[in-house]
PDB file of all heavy atoms in Angstrom:
ATOM      1  N   MET A  13       0.821  -1.192   0.000  1.00 58.00           N
ATOM      2  CA  MET A  13       0.000   0.000   0.000  1.00 58.00           C
ATOM      3  C   MET A  13       0.864   1.254   0.000  1.00 58.00           C
ATOM      4  O   MET A  13       0.617   2.176  -0.717  1.00 58.00           O
ATOM      5  CB  MET A  13      -0.925  -0.029   1.227  1.00 58.00           C
ATOM      6  CG  MET A  13      -1.991   1.027   1.206  1.00 58.00           C
ATOM      7  SD  MET A  13      -3.227   0.604  -0.018  1.00 58.00           S
ATOM      8  CE  MET A  13      -4.330   1.942   0.189  1.00 58.00           C
ATOM      9  N   GLY A  14       1.907   1.291   0.820  1.00 88.00           N
ATOM     10  CA  GLY A  14       2.766   2.463   0.903  1.00 88.00           C
ATOM     11  C   GLY A  14       3.501   2.739  -0.404  1.00 88.00           C
ATOM     12  O   GLY A  14       3.700   3.888  -0.778  1.00 88.00           O
ATOM     13  N   MET A  15       3.879   1.681  -1.090  1.00 91.00           N
ATOM     14  CA  MET A  15       4.605   1.850  -2.347  1.00 91.00           C
ATOM     15  C   MET A  15       3.698   2.456  -3.421  1.00 91.00           C
ATOM     16  O   MET A  15       4.136   3.287  -4.214  1.00 91.00           O
ATOM     17  CB  MET A  15       5.152   0.513  -2.814  1.00 91.00           C
ATOM     18  CG  MET A  15       6.209   0.615  -3.842  1.00 91.00           C
ATOM     19  SD  MET A  15       7.050  -0.983  -3.886  1.00 91.00           S
ATOM     20  CE  MET A  15       8.385  -0.582  -4.930  1.00 91.00           C
ATOM     21  N   GLY A  16       2.433   2.093  -3.420  1.00 91.00           N
ATOM     22  CA  GLY A  16       1.474   2.658  -4.373  1.00 91.00           C
ATOM     23  C   GLY A  16       1.300   4.153  -4.171  1.00 91.00           C
ATOM     24  O   GLY A  16       1.232   4.917  -5.132  1.00 91.00           O
ATOM     25  N   LYS A  17       1.255   4.566  -2.906  1.00 93.00           N
ATOM     26  CA  LYS A  17       1.127   5.995  -2.601  1.00 93.00           C
ATOM     27  C   LYS A  17       2.354   6.758  -3.089  1.00 93.00           C
ATOM     28  O   LYS A  17       2.251   7.867  -3.597  1.00 93.00           O
ATOM     29  CB  LYS A  17       0.939   6.224  -1.103  1.00 93.00           C
ATOM     30  CG  LYS A  17      -0.435   5.875  -0.602  1.00 93.00           C
ATOM     31  CD  LYS A  17      -0.573   6.224   0.862  1.00 93.00           C
ATOM     32  CE  LYS A  17      -1.940   5.858   1.386  1.00 93.00           C
ATOM     33  NZ  LYS A  17      -2.091   6.227   2.796  1.00 93.00           N
ATOM     34  N   LYS A  18       3.532   6.159  -2.933  1.00 94.00           N
ATOM     35  CA  LYS A  18       4.773   6.803  -3.377  1.00 94.00           C
ATOM     36  C   LYS A  18       4.769   6.975  -4.891  1.00 94.00           C
ATOM     37  O   LYS A  18       5.142   8.025  -5.401  1.00 94.00           O
ATOM     38  CB  LYS A  18       5.988   5.990  -2.938  1.00 94.00           C
ATOM     39  CG  LYS A  18       6.268   6.094  -1.463  1.00 94.00           C
ATOM     40  CD  LYS A  18       7.484   5.288  -1.066  1.00 94.00           C
ATOM     41  CE  LYS A  18       7.676   5.334   0.430  1.00 94.00           C
ATOM     42  NZ  LYS A  18       8.832   4.547   0.854  1.00 94.00           N
ATOM     43  N   PHE A  19       4.330   5.934  -5.604  1.00 92.00           N
ATOM     44  CA  PHE A  19       4.265   6.033  -7.063  1.00 92.00           C
ATOM     45  C   PHE A  19       3.258   7.099  -7.492  1.00 92.00           C
ATOM     46  O   PHE A  19       3.511   7.865  -8.422  1.00 92.00           O
ATOM     47  CB  PHE A  19       3.890   4.685  -7.695  1.00 92.00           C
ATOM     48  CG  PHE A  19       5.043   3.736  -7.792  1.00 92.00           C
ATOM     49  CD1 PHE A  19       4.940   2.455  -7.270  1.00 92.00           C
ATOM     50  CD2 PHE A  19       6.239   4.106  -8.385  1.00 92.00           C
ATOM     51  CE1 PHE A  19       6.000   1.560  -7.360  1.00 92.00           C
ATOM     52  CE2 PHE A  19       7.302   3.224  -8.487  1.00 92.00           C
ATOM     53  CZ  PHE A  19       7.187   1.945  -7.967  1.00 92.00           C
ATOM     54  N   ALA A  20       2.128   7.164  -6.819  1.00 94.00           N
ATOM     55  CA  ALA A  20       1.115   8.164  -7.150  1.00 94.00           C
ATOM     56  C   ALA A  20       1.651   9.568  -6.891  1.00 94.00           C
ATOM     57  O   ALA A  20       1.478  10.471  -7.718  1.00 94.00           O
ATOM     58  CB  ALA A  20      -0.149   7.917  -6.343  1.00 94.00           C
ATOM     59  N   ALA A  21       2.301   9.758  -5.757  1.00 94.00           N
ATOM     60  CA  ALA A  21       2.861  11.068  -5.420  1.00 94.00           C
ATOM     61  C   ALA A  21       3.930  11.467  -6.433  1.00 94.00           C
ATOM     62  O   ALA A  21       3.992  12.622  -6.857  1.00 94.00           O
ATOM     63  CB  ALA A  21       3.437  11.056  -4.015  1.00 94.00           C
ATOM     64  N   PHE A  22       4.752  10.515  -6.835  1.00 94.00           N
ATOM     65  CA  PHE A  22       5.785  10.803  -7.822  1.00 94.00           C
ATOM     66  C   PHE A  22       5.155  11.197  -9.157  1.00 94.00           C
ATOM     67  O   PHE A  22       5.614  12.141  -9.812  1.00 94.00           O
ATOM     68  CB  PHE A  22       6.699   9.585  -8.009  1.00 94.00           C
ATOM     69  CG  PHE A  22       7.746   9.805  -9.066  1.00 94.00           C
ATOM     70  CD1 PHE A  22       8.856  10.573  -8.797  1.00 94.00           C
ATOM     71  CD2 PHE A  22       7.604   9.241 -10.322  1.00 94.00           C
ATOM     72  CE1 PHE A  22       9.824  10.782  -9.773  1.00 94.00           C
ATOM     73  CE2 PHE A  22       8.561   9.446 -11.303  1.00 94.00           C
ATOM     74  CZ  PHE A  22       9.673  10.223 -11.027  1.00 94.00           C
ATOM     75  N   GLY A  23       4.121  10.493  -9.557  1.00 94.00           N
ATOM     76  CA  GLY A  23       3.442  10.800 -10.817  1.00 94.00           C
ATOM     77  C   GLY A  23       2.838  12.191 -10.807  1.00 94.00           C
ATOM     78  O   GLY A  23       2.938  12.929 -11.783  1.00 94.00           O
ATOM     79  N   ILE A  24       2.222  12.559  -9.700  1.00 94.00           N
ATOM     80  CA  ILE A  24       1.623  13.889  -9.583  1.00 94.00           C
ATOM     81  C   ILE A  24       2.709  14.960  -9.599  1.00 94.00           C
ATOM     82  O   ILE A  24       2.583  15.978 -10.284  1.00 94.00           O
ATOM     83  CB  ILE A  24       0.766  13.985  -8.305  1.00 94.00           C
ATOM     84  CG1 ILE A  24      -0.458  13.081  -8.452  1.00 94.00           C
ATOM     85  CG2 ILE A  24       0.356  15.427  -8.024  1.00 94.00           C
ATOM     86  CD1 ILE A  24      -1.237  12.873  -7.177  1.00 94.00           C
ATOM     87  N   ALA A  25       3.791  14.726  -8.868  1.00 95.00           N
ATOM     88  CA  ALA A  25       4.888  15.700  -8.831  1.00 95.00           C
ATOM     89  C   ALA A  25       5.503  15.882 -10.220  1.00 95.00           C
ATOM     90  O   ALA A  25       5.817  16.996 -10.622  1.00 95.00           O
ATOM     91  CB  ALA A  25       5.947  15.243  -7.840  1.00 95.00           C
ATOM     92  N   LYS A  26       5.645  14.794 -10.966  1.00 94.00           N
ATOM     93  CA  LYS A  26       6.204  14.892 -12.315  1.00 94.00           C
ATOM     94  C   LYS A  26       5.281  15.689 -13.219  1.00 94.00           C
ATOM     95  O   LYS A  26       5.742  16.520 -14.005  1.00 94.00           O
ATOM     96  CB  LYS A  26       6.439  13.500 -12.896  1.00 94.00           C
ATOM     97  CG  LYS A  26       7.075  13.550 -14.267  1.00 94.00           C
ATOM     98  CD  LYS A  26       7.418  12.207 -14.806  1.00 94.00           C
ATOM     99  CE  LYS A  26       8.086  12.198 -16.155  1.00 94.00           C
ATOM    100  NZ  LYS A  26       8.022  13.379 -16.964  1.00 94.00           N
ATOM    101  N   LYS A  27       3.992  15.476 -13.112  1.00 93.00           N
ATOM    102  CA  LYS A  27       3.029  16.210 -13.934  1.00 93.00           C
ATOM    103  C   LYS A  27       3.100  17.710 -13.626  1.00 93.00           C
ATOM    104  O   LYS A  27       3.124  18.542 -14.533  1.00 93.00           O
ATOM    105  CB  LYS A  27       1.614  15.672 -13.660  1.00 93.00           C
ATOM    106  CG  LYS A  27       0.504  16.395 -14.358  1.00 93.00           C
ATOM    107  CD  LYS A  27       0.525  16.160 -15.842  1.00 93.00           C
ATOM    108  CE  LYS A  27      -0.708  16.769 -16.485  1.00 93.00           C
ATOM    109  NZ  LYS A  27      -0.605  16.797 -17.929  1.00 93.00           N
ATOM    110  N   VAL A  28       3.153  18.061 -12.345  1.00 92.00           N
ATOM    111  CA  VAL A  28       3.240  19.473 -11.949  1.00 92.00           C
ATOM    112  C   VAL A  28       4.533  20.082 -12.494  1.00 92.00           C
ATOM    113  O   VAL A  28       4.526  21.190 -13.036  1.00 92.00           O
ATOM    114  CB  VAL A  28       3.163  19.615 -10.407  1.00 92.00           C
ATOM    115  CG1 VAL A  28       3.522  21.017  -9.955  1.00 92.00           C
ATOM    116  CG2 VAL A  28       1.765  19.235  -9.930  1.00 92.00           C
ATOM    117  N   TYR A  29       5.637  19.353 -12.350  1.00 92.00           N
ATOM    118  CA  TYR A  29       6.934  19.837 -12.837  1.00 92.00           C
ATOM    119  C   TYR A  29       6.896  20.054 -14.352  1.00 92.00           C
ATOM    120  O   TYR A  29       7.355  21.082 -14.851  1.00 92.00           O
ATOM    121  CB  TYR A  29       8.023  18.831 -12.464  1.00 92.00           C
ATOM    122  CG  TYR A  29       9.386  19.182 -12.997  1.00 92.00           C
ATOM    123  CD1 TYR A  29      10.153  20.183 -12.399  1.00 92.00           C
ATOM    124  CD2 TYR A  29       9.913  18.520 -14.110  1.00 92.00           C
ATOM    125  CE1 TYR A  29      11.408  20.511 -12.890  1.00 92.00           C
ATOM    126  CE2 TYR A  29      11.166  18.844 -14.602  1.00 92.00           C
ATOM    127  CZ  TYR A  29      11.904  19.837 -13.999  1.00 92.00           C
ATOM    128  OH  TYR A  29      13.132  20.164 -14.491  1.00 92.00           O
ATOM    129  N   ASP A  30       6.346  19.096 -15.083  1.00 93.00           N
ATOM    130  CA  ASP A  30       6.276  19.212 -16.543  1.00 93.00           C
ATOM    131  C   ASP A  30       5.416  20.403 -16.965  1.00 93.00           C
ATOM    132  O   ASP A  30       5.760  21.134 -17.886  1.00 93.00           O
ATOM    133  CB  ASP A  30       5.723  17.923 -17.162  1.00 93.00           C
ATOM    134  CG  ASP A  30       6.703  16.765 -17.061  1.00 93.00           C
ATOM    135  OD1 ASP A  30       7.900  17.017 -16.807  1.00 93.00           O
ATOM    136  OD2 ASP A  30       6.254  15.617 -17.223  1.00 93.00           O
ATOM    137  N   GLU A  31       4.304  20.603 -16.296  1.00 91.00           N
ATOM    138  CA  GLU A  31       3.429  21.733 -16.624  1.00 91.00           C
ATOM    139  C   GLU A  31       4.108  23.060 -16.304  1.00 91.00           C
ATOM    140  O   GLU A  31       3.952  24.033 -17.036  1.00 91.00           O
ATOM    141  CB  GLU A  31       2.096  21.623 -15.867  1.00 91.00           C
ATOM    142  CG  GLU A  31       1.185  20.538 -16.393  1.00 91.00           C
ATOM    143  CD  GLU A  31       0.731  20.778 -17.823  1.00 91.00           C
ATOM    144  OE1 GLU A  31       0.352  21.907 -18.173  1.00 91.00           O
ATOM    145  OE2 GLU A  31       0.776  19.813 -18.616  1.00 91.00           O
ATOM    146  N   ALA A  32       4.861  23.107 -15.219  1.00 90.00           N
ATOM    147  CA  ALA A  32       5.521  24.350 -14.807  1.00 90.00           C
ATOM    148  C   ALA A  32       6.636  24.742 -15.778  1.00 90.00           C
ATOM    149  O   ALA A  32       7.010  25.911 -15.838  1.00 90.00           O
ATOM    150  CB  ALA A  32       6.081  24.201 -13.398  1.00 90.00           C
ATOM    151  N   ARG A  33       7.154  23.803 -16.533  1.00 92.00           N
ATOM    152  CA  ARG A  33       8.237  24.104 -17.478  1.00 92.00           C
ATOM    153  C   ARG A  33       7.721  24.729 -18.767  1.00 92.00           C
ATOM    154  O   ARG A  33       8.511  25.298 -19.523  1.00 92.00           O
ATOM    155  CB  ARG A  33       9.003  22.826 -17.806  1.00 92.00           C
ATOM    156  CG  ARG A  33       9.773  22.309 -16.595  1.00 92.00           C
ATOM    157  CD  ARG A  33      10.686  21.186 -16.945  1.00 92.00           C
ATOM    158  NE  ARG A  33      11.753  21.688 -17.818  1.00 92.00           N
ATOM    159  CZ  ARG A  33      12.414  20.960 -18.691  1.00 92.00           C
ATOM    160  NH1 ARG A  33      12.134  19.694 -18.825  1.00 92.00           N
ATOM    161  NH2 ARG A  33      13.363  21.470 -19.430  1.00 92.00           N
ATOM    162  N   LYS A  34       6.430  24.657 -19.042  1.00 92.00           N
ATOM    163  CA  LYS A  34       5.884  25.220 -20.275  1.00 92.00           C
ATOM    164  C   LYS A  34       5.907  26.747 -20.188  1.00 92.00           C
ATOM    165  O   LYS A  34       5.560  27.324 -19.160  1.00 92.00           O
ATOM    166  CB  LYS A  34       4.462  24.724 -20.497  1.00 92.00           C
ATOM    167  CG  LYS A  34       4.398  23.232 -20.766  1.00 92.00           C
ATOM    168  CD  LYS A  34       2.996  22.761 -20.993  1.00 92.00           C
ATOM    169  CE  LYS A  34       2.953  21.264 -21.244  1.00 92.00           C
ATOM    170  NZ  LYS A  34       1.583  20.793 -21.413  1.00 92.00           N
ATOM    171  N   PRO A  35       6.327  27.413 -21.273  1.00 91.00           N
ATOM    172  CA  PRO A  35       6.484  28.877 -21.234  1.00 91.00           C
ATOM    173  C   PRO A  35       5.235  29.650 -20.821  1.00 91.00           C
ATOM    174  O   PRO A  35       5.318  30.596 -20.036  1.00 91.00           O
ATOM    175  CB  PRO A  35       6.880  29.233 -22.664  1.00 91.00           C
ATOM    176  CG  PRO A  35       7.490  27.985 -23.208  1.00 91.00           C
ATOM    177  CD  PRO A  35       6.754  26.857 -22.535  1.00 91.00           C
ATOM    178  N   HIS A  36       4.062  29.264 -21.326  1.00 91.00           N
ATOM    179  CA  HIS A  36       2.863  30.023 -20.967  1.00 91.00           C
ATOM    180  C   HIS A  36       2.506  29.835 -19.492  1.00 91.00           C
ATOM    181  O   HIS A  36       1.977  30.749 -18.863  1.00 91.00           O
ATOM    182  CB  HIS A  36       1.683  29.689 -21.883  1.00 91.00           C
ATOM    183  CG  HIS A  36       1.235  28.262 -21.807  1.00 91.00           C
ATOM    184  ND1 HIS A  36       1.869  27.256 -22.495  1.00 91.00           N
ATOM    185  CD2 HIS A  36       0.224  27.684 -21.137  1.00 91.00           C
ATOM    186  CE1 HIS A  36       1.252  26.114 -22.232  1.00 91.00           C
ATOM    187  NE2 HIS A  36       0.255  26.338 -21.414  1.00 91.00           N
ATOM    188  N   ASN A  37       2.832  28.682 -18.940  1.00 91.00           N
ATOM    189  CA  ASN A  37       2.585  28.464 -17.516  1.00 91.00           C
ATOM    190  C   ASN A  37       3.620  29.192 -16.664  1.00 91.00           C
ATOM    191  O   ASN A  37       3.306  29.667 -15.572  1.00 91.00           O
ATOM    192  CB  ASN A  37       2.579  26.974 -17.190  1.00 91.00           C
ATOM    193  CG  ASN A  37       1.351  26.280 -17.737  1.00 91.00           C
ATOM    194  OD1 ASN A  37       0.326  26.920 -17.985  1.00 91.00           O
ATOM    195  ND2 ASN A  37       1.437  24.992 -17.942  1.00 91.00           N
ATOM    196  N   GLN A  38       4.848  29.318 -17.160  1.00 92.00           N
ATOM    197  CA  GLN A  38       5.870  30.068 -16.441  1.00 92.00           C
ATOM    198  C   GLN A  38       5.442  31.524 -16.294  1.00 92.00           C
ATOM    199  O   GLN A  38       5.636  32.129 -15.246  1.00 92.00           O
ATOM    200  CB  GLN A  38       7.217  29.984 -17.153  1.00 92.00           C
ATOM    201  CG  GLN A  38       7.898  28.654 -16.974  1.00 92.00           C
ATOM    202  CD  GLN A  38       9.249  28.606 -17.657  1.00 92.00           C
ATOM    203  OE1 GLN A  38       9.656  29.544 -18.327  1.00 92.00           O
ATOM    204  NE2 GLN A  38       9.947  27.501 -17.482  1.00 92.00           N
ATOM    205  N   ALA A  39       4.847  32.075 -17.342  1.00 93.00           N
ATOM    206  CA  ALA A  39       4.376  33.465 -17.288  1.00 93.00           C
ATOM    207  C   ALA A  39       3.283  33.615 -16.232  1.00 93.00           C
ATOM    208  O   ALA A  39       3.273  34.597 -15.474  1.00 93.00           O
ATOM    209  CB  ALA A  39       3.868  33.901 -18.653  1.00 93.00           C
ATOM    210  N   LYS A  40       2.383  32.657 -16.161  1.00 93.00           N
ATOM    211  CA  LYS A  40       1.311  32.703 -15.161  1.00 93.00           C
ATOM    212  C   LYS A  40       1.886  32.620 -13.745  1.00 93.00           C
ATOM    213  O   LYS A  40       1.445  33.330 -12.840  1.00 93.00           O
ATOM    214  CB  LYS A  40       0.329  31.550 -15.369  1.00 93.00           C
ATOM    215  CG  LYS A  40      -0.545  31.694 -16.584  1.00 93.00           C
ATOM    216  CD  LYS A  40      -1.475  30.506 -16.708  1.00 93.00           C
ATOM    217  CE  LYS A  40      -2.273  30.525 -17.979  1.00 93.00           C
ATOM    218  NZ  LYS A  40      -3.147  29.356 -18.102  1.00 93.00           N
ATOM    219  N   ILE A  41       2.858  31.743 -13.556  1.00 92.00           N
ATOM    220  CA  ILE A  41       3.474  31.569 -12.239  1.00 92.00           C
ATOM    221  C   ILE A  41       4.186  32.849 -11.821  1.00 92.00           C
ATOM    222  O   ILE A  41       4.045  33.316 -10.692  1.00 92.00           O
ATOM    223  CB  ILE A  41       4.443  30.367 -12.249  1.00 92.00           C
ATOM    224  CG1 ILE A  41       3.654  29.067 -12.397  1.00 92.00           C
ATOM    225  CG2 ILE A  41       5.294  30.345 -10.987  1.00 92.00           C
ATOM    226  CD1 ILE A  41       4.508  27.859 -12.716  1.00 92.00           C
ATOM    227  N   LYS A  42       4.943  33.443 -12.740  1.00 94.00           N
ATOM    228  CA  LYS A  42       5.670  34.679 -12.437  1.00 94.00           C
ATOM    229  C   LYS A  42       4.708  35.805 -12.090  1.00 94.00           C
ATOM    230  O   LYS A  42       4.953  36.591 -11.175  1.00 94.00           O
ATOM    231  CB  LYS A  42       6.565  35.074 -13.606  1.00 94.00           C
ATOM    232  CG  LYS A  42       7.782  34.192 -13.723  1.00 94.00           C
ATOM    233  CD  LYS A  42       8.639  34.572 -14.912  1.00 94.00           C
ATOM    234  CE  LYS A  42       9.801  33.608 -15.061  1.00 94.00           C
ATOM    235  NZ  LYS A  42      10.608  33.891 -16.242  1.00 94.00           N
ATOM    236  N   ALA A  43       3.592  35.902 -12.814  1.00 95.00           N
ATOM    237  CA  ALA A  43       2.598  36.940 -12.538  1.00 95.00           C
ATOM    238  C   ALA A  43       1.990  36.740 -11.148  1.00 95.00           C
ATOM    239  O   ALA A  43       1.793  37.706 -10.405  1.00 95.00           O
ATOM    240  CB  ALA A  43       1.507  36.927 -13.604  1.00 95.00           C
ATOM    241  N   ALA A  44       1.707  35.507 -10.788  1.00 94.00           N
ATOM    242  CA  ALA A  44       1.126  35.221  -9.479  1.00 94.00           C
ATOM    243  C   ALA A  44       2.116  35.557  -8.366  1.00 94.00           C
ATOM    244  O   ALA A  44       1.737  36.146  -7.345  1.00 94.00           O
ATOM    245  CB  ALA A  44       0.716  33.755  -9.394  1.00 94.00           C
ATOM    246  N   VAL A  45       3.383  35.221  -8.561  1.00 94.00           N
ATOM    247  CA  VAL A  45       4.410  35.524  -7.557  1.00 94.00           C
ATOM    248  C   VAL A  45       4.549  37.040  -7.399  1.00 94.00           C
ATOM    249  O   VAL A  45       4.623  37.551  -6.289  1.00 94.00           O
ATOM    250  CB  VAL A  45       5.762  34.877  -7.943  1.00 94.00           C
ATOM    251  CG1 VAL A  45       6.897  35.405  -7.072  1.00 94.00           C
ATOM    252  CG2 VAL A  45       5.662  33.369  -7.832  1.00 94.00           C
ATOM    253  N   ARG A  46       4.562  37.736  -8.519  1.00 96.00           N
ATOM    254  CA  ARG A  46       4.672  39.200  -8.490  1.00 96.00           C
ATOM    255  C   ARG A  46       3.497  39.819  -7.730  1.00 96.00           C
ATOM    256  O   ARG A  46       3.673  40.730  -6.918  1.00 96.00           O
ATOM    257  CB  ARG A  46       4.718  39.733  -9.918  1.00 96.00           C
ATOM    258  CG  ARG A  46       5.213  41.147 -10.034  1.00 96.00           C
ATOM    259  CD  ARG A  46       5.348  41.606 -11.486  1.00 96.00           C
ATOM    260  NE  ARG A  46       6.064  40.651 -12.336  1.00 96.00           N
ATOM    261  CZ  ARG A  46       5.516  40.004 -13.375  1.00 96.00           C
ATOM    262  NH1 ARG A  46       4.257  40.201 -13.705  1.00 96.00           N
ATOM    263  NH2 ARG A  46       6.222  39.165 -14.086  1.00 96.00           N
ATOM    264  N   LYS A  47       2.317  39.287  -7.964  1.00 95.00           N
ATOM    265  CA  LYS A  47       1.111  39.794  -7.303  1.00 95.00           C
ATOM    266  C   LYS A  47       1.196  39.602  -5.784  1.00 95.00           C
ATOM    267  O   LYS A  47       0.878  40.505  -5.013  1.00 95.00           O
ATOM    268  CB  LYS A  47      -0.106  39.060  -7.867  1.00 95.00           C
ATOM    269  CG  LYS A  47      -1.431  39.621  -7.490  1.00 95.00           C
ATOM    270  CD  LYS A  47      -2.531  38.872  -8.233  1.00 95.00           C
ATOM    271  CE  LYS A  47      -3.889  39.405  -7.910  1.00 95.00           C
ATOM    272  NZ  LYS A  47      -4.952  38.675  -8.595  1.00 95.00           N
ATOM    273  N   VAL A  48       1.651  38.439  -5.361  1.00 94.00           N
ATOM    274  CA  VAL A  48       1.788  38.148  -3.931  1.00 94.00           C
ATOM    275  C   VAL A  48       2.842  39.068  -3.313  1.00 94.00           C
ATOM    276  O   VAL A  48       2.643  39.603  -2.218  1.00 94.00           O
ATOM    277  CB  VAL A  48       2.147  36.666  -3.707  1.00 94.00           C
ATOM    278  CG1 VAL A  48       2.564  36.412  -2.269  1.00 94.00           C
ATOM    279  CG2 VAL A  48       0.977  35.776  -4.092  1.00 94.00           C
ATOM    280  N   GLN A  49       3.952  39.274  -4.019  1.00 94.00           N
ATOM    281  CA  GLN A  49       5.006  40.139  -3.497  1.00 94.00           C
ATOM    282  C   GLN A  49       4.508  41.573  -3.336  1.00 94.00           C
ATOM    283  O   GLN A  49       4.842  42.246  -2.364  1.00 94.00           O
ATOM    284  CB  GLN A  49       6.229  40.099  -4.412  1.00 94.00           C
ATOM    285  CG  GLN A  49       6.992  38.795  -4.318  1.00 94.00           C
ATOM    286  CD  GLN A  49       8.121  38.699  -5.325  1.00 94.00           C
ATOM    287  OE1 GLN A  49       8.139  39.406  -6.329  1.00 94.00           O
ATOM    288  NE2 GLN A  49       9.056  37.798  -5.074  1.00 94.00           N
ATOM    289  N   GLU A  50       3.713  42.048  -4.290  1.00 94.00           N
ATOM    290  CA  GLU A  50       3.162  43.405  -4.188  1.00 94.00           C
ATOM    291  C   GLU A  50       2.228  43.527  -2.988  1.00 94.00           C
ATOM    292  O   GLU A  50       2.238  44.528  -2.295  1.00 94.00           O
ATOM    293  CB  GLU A  50       2.431  43.772  -5.477  1.00 94.00           C
ATOM    294  CG  GLU A  50       3.359  44.024  -6.639  1.00 94.00           C
ATOM    295  CD  GLU A  50       2.627  44.227  -7.943  1.00 94.00           C
ATOM    296  OE1 GLU A  50       1.373  44.268  -7.956  1.00 94.00           O
ATOM    297  OE2 GLU A  50       3.310  44.356  -8.986  1.00 94.00           O
ATOM    298  N   ARG A  51       1.426  42.522  -2.760  1.00 92.00           N
ATOM    299  CA  ARG A  51       0.516  42.538  -1.613  1.00 92.00           C
ATOM    300  C   ARG A  51       1.294  42.581  -0.305  1.00 92.00           C
ATOM    301  O   ARG A  51       0.911  43.288   0.630  1.00 92.00           O
ATOM    302  CB  ARG A  51      -0.372  41.292  -1.605  1.00 92.00           C
ATOM    303  CG  ARG A  51      -1.501  41.344  -2.568  1.00 92.00           C
ATOM    304  CD  ARG A  51      -2.437  40.173  -2.312  1.00 92.00           C
ATOM    305  NE  ARG A  51      -3.208  39.877  -3.488  1.00 92.00           N
ATOM    306  CZ  ARG A  51      -3.741  38.703  -3.773  1.00 92.00           C
ATOM    307  NH1 ARG A  51      -3.573  37.700  -2.951  1.00 92.00           N
ATOM    308  NH2 ARG A  51      -4.437  38.526  -4.867  1.00 92.00           N
ATOM    309  N   ARG A  52       2.389  41.813  -0.241  1.00 91.00           N
ATOM    310  CA  ARG A  52       3.187  41.766   0.994  1.00 91.00           C
ATOM    311  C   ARG A  52       3.870  43.106   1.269  1.00 91.00           C
ATOM    312  O   ARG A  52       4.057  43.474   2.413  1.00 91.00           O
ATOM    313  CB  ARG A  52       4.225  40.650   0.914  1.00 91.00           C
ATOM    314  CG  ARG A  52       3.572  39.267   0.944  1.00 91.00           C
ATOM    315  CD  ARG A  52       4.584  38.181   0.930  1.00 91.00           C
ATOM    316  NE  ARG A  52       5.232  38.110   2.230  1.00 91.00           N
ATOM    317  CZ  ARG A  52       6.318  37.432   2.484  1.00 91.00           C
ATOM    318  NH1 ARG A  52       6.912  36.769   1.528  1.00 91.00           N
ATOM    319  NH2 ARG A  52       6.846  37.401   3.678  1.00 91.00           N
ATOM    320  N   LYS A  53       4.224  43.827   0.227  1.00 88.00           N
ATOM    321  CA  LYS A  53       4.885  45.134   0.402  1.00 88.00           C
ATOM    322  C   LYS A  53       3.917  46.166   0.989  1.00 88.00           C
ATOM    323  O   LYS A  53       4.342  47.058   1.699  1.00 88.00           O
ATOM    324  CB  LYS A  53       5.402  45.644  -0.940  1.00 88.00           C
ATOM    325  CG  LYS A  53       6.637  44.943  -1.420  1.00 88.00           C
ATOM    326  CD  LYS A  53       7.109  45.523  -2.728  1.00 88.00           C
ATOM    327  CE  LYS A  53       8.305  44.770  -3.284  1.00 88.00           C
ATOM    328  NZ  LYS A  53       8.722  45.303  -4.594  1.00 88.00           N
ATOM    329  N   ARG A  54       2.648  46.042   0.679  1.00 82.00           N
ATOM    330  CA  ARG A  54       1.648  47.016   1.144  1.00 82.00           C
ATOM    331  C   ARG A  54       1.471  46.990   2.651  1.00 82.00           C
ATOM    332  O   ARG A  54       1.173  47.998   3.259  1.00 82.00           O
ATOM    333  CB  ARG A  54       0.303  46.747   0.492  1.00 82.00           C
ATOM    334  CG  ARG A  54       0.263  47.085  -0.972  1.00 82.00           C
ATOM    335  CD  ARG A  54      -1.134  46.924  -1.503  1.00 82.00           C
ATOM    336  NE  ARG A  54      -1.081  46.697  -2.955  1.00 82.00           N
ATOM    337  CZ  ARG A  54      -2.003  46.100  -3.635  1.00 82.00           C
ATOM    338  NH1 ARG A  54      -3.088  45.657  -3.050  1.00 82.00           N
ATOM    339  NH2 ARG A  54      -1.886  45.938  -4.919  1.00 82.00           N
ATOM    340  N   TYR A  55       1.638  45.814   3.267  1.00 73.00           N
ATOM    341  CA  TYR A  55       1.357  45.689   4.705  1.00 73.00           C
ATOM    342  C   TYR A  55       2.571  45.802   5.549  1.00 73.00           C
ATOM    343  O   TYR A  55       3.653  45.587   5.245  1.00 73.00           O
ATOM    344  CB  TYR A  55       0.639  44.365   4.986  1.00 73.00           C
ATOM    345  CG  TYR A  55      -0.685  44.272   4.287  1.00 73.00           C
ATOM    346  CD1 TYR A  55      -0.874  43.415   3.222  1.00 73.00           C
ATOM    347  CD2 TYR A  55      -1.740  45.090   4.680  1.00 73.00           C
ATOM    348  CE1 TYR A  55      -2.089  43.334   2.555  1.00 73.00           C
ATOM    349  CE2 TYR A  55      -2.956  45.034   4.017  1.00 73.00           C
ATOM    350  CZ  TYR A  55      -3.126  44.156   2.973  1.00 73.00           C
ATOM    351  OH  TYR A  55      -4.332  44.095   2.337  1.00 73.00           O
TER     352      TYR A  55
END
């Protein structure tokens, strides 16, 4: 049972990593990070 969970977690992590490497997704991630940083500066 534990080994199945590890394989599932690895598969999900790989999918997230692969999606994050795509240029259009990188732009979205950078915009979100910038937005959070701006909010933190205000307070």
